[in-house]
Amino acid sequence: MASSSSIAVRELPLFPLPEVVLFPGRPLPLHIFEFRYRIMMNTILANDRRFGVLMWDPVQGQPAAVGCCAEVVHYQRLPDDRMKILTLGQQRFRVLEYTREKPYRVGLVEWIEDQPPEKDLKEMAASVEQLLRDVVHLSAKLTDQKIELPEDLPDLPIELSYWVASNLYGVVSEQQALLEMQDTANRLEREAEILTSTRNHLAARTVLKDAFN
C-alpha cells in the first residue's frame, strides 16, 4: 500500500472536534464513545489507521477547511465498544469536498506543506525557543510551581513551530491560523509576537507580586 504522503489527493474519514487543533508530530488522546465514531474507528483500524481531525467552528457552524491527519498508534477497547485511543499528528490537509456525511463525514482532501524557506531559520527558531523559556520561567515564578520544558524540545524550525503552536492554550482560533500557514518563517514570527506579549504580561504580574511580598 502506498503511504498517504505519496498520494496527492485521497478520501479521508473526518472527525470534527470543538476546541481542538492538531499539529504534525503532536499526540492527541481521544475517548471514542459516540456511535458513528465507534463505527469510524472500527473501519480505520481495519485499514491504515488514519483519519482527519478538523476544528469545529461554532461561529460558522461547520468544520474548518484545513486540518491534520491523525494516525492511531495505540488503542484500548472499553465496555460497550467504546475506545480510548492515542493518535499522532501526521500531514496537514485541506478539504476539497465532502463525499459523504453519514454515518460520519468523509472528505476528498489534498495534503499541504510549508514552502521551502528562503533563508536559514535557525536564528529565528532559537529566538522563539528563548521566548518560550522566558515564559515558562516567569509562569513558574508566578505560580510557585516547578514548570519545565521537555528535554526533547524540537530543534528543527518547522517542528519547533508546530510544538509551540500546539502548546498555546485558550486561543484555538490563533492555533487554527497557525495550522493553515504554509510559511515556517511567518509561523515563527507570529509565535514570537504571541510569546513576547505573554512574557511582558507575566513579567508585569511578577513585579507586582514581588512588590507585595
Side-chain angles (χ1 to χ4, degrees):
M1 180 184 292
S3 69
S4 60
S5 60
S6 67
I7 304 170
V9 176
R10 64 164 281 181
E11 275 196 333
L12 194 66
L14 299 172
F15 196 169
L17 286 167
E19 302 294 309
V20 173
V21 180
L22 178 63
F23 286 86
R26 305 307 306 150
L28 177 64
L30 293 169
H31 178 200
I32 307 300
F33 56 88
E34 201 172 334
F35 181 66
R36 56 180 166 168
Y37 294 122
R38 283 184 277 161
I39 296 174
M40 185 177 86
M41 289 303 157
N42 283 318
T43 302
I44 68 163
L45 286 172
N47 292 287
D48 67 356
R49 295 191 170 203
R50 296 188 177 210
F51 63 99
V53 173
L54 291 169
M55 183 198 76
W56 178 264
D57 189 336
V59 177
Q60 300 292 330
Q62 62 185 18
V66 172
C68 184
C69 180
E71 181 175 8
V72 178
V73 293
H74 179 74
Y75 70 96
Q76 176 189 3
R77 293 191 183 276
L78 301 172
D80 305 323
D81 205 28
R82 291 178 295 116
M83 290 184 209
K84 283 186 177 180
I85 67 171
L86 176 63
T87 72
L88 191 66
Q90 304 291 335
Q91 304 97 322
R92 292 173 296 156
F93 63 85
R94 179 179 291 104
V95 179
L96 299 176
E97 63 177 291
Y98 289 105
T99 56
R100 198 173 77 207
E101 294 283 343
K102 294 180 179 180
Y104 52 83
R105 292 174 188 259
V106 176
L108 191 65
V109 308
E110 63 175 354
W111 304 116
I112 60 174
E113 297 180 355
D114 276 12
Q115 301 156 2
E118 296 180 355
K119 59 181 179 180
D120 192 331
L121 301 178
K122 288 181 181 177
E123 188 174 330
M124 185 182 294
S127 177
V128 167
E129 182 179 336
Q130 185 56 54
L131 284 166
L132 185 63
R133 293 187 183 282
D134 291 347
V135 166
V136 168
H137 172 73
L138 288 166
S139 296
K141 185 176 180 180
L142 197 60
T143 59
D144 294 321
Q145 294 179 343
K146 186 176 182 181
I147 307 173
E148 294 181 346
L149 288 171
E151 292 183 3
D152 59 348
L153 192 69
D155 51 8
L156 291 177
I158 187 169
E159 292 180 2
L160 178 67
S161 75
Y162 290 148
W163 192 97
V164 172
S166 71
N167 283 277
L168 295 175
Y169 296 107
V171 285
V172 180
S173 59
E174 189 73 69
Q175 286 183 305
Q176 182 64 31
L178 291 168
L179 181 75
E180 294 180 10
M181 287 183 181
Q182 290 182 254
D183 187 305
T184 311
N186 287 348
R187 190 180 302 109
L188 287 169
E189 285 174 3
R190 180 59 190 143
E191 289 167 351
E193 291 173 359
I194 295 169
L195 290 170
T196 298
S197 177
T198 304
R199 181 191 62 184
N200 293 346
H201 176 69
L202 291 173
R205 289 180 61 189
T206 302
V207 169
L208 283 173
K209 180 183 177 183
D210 291 343
F212 284 100
N213 285 345

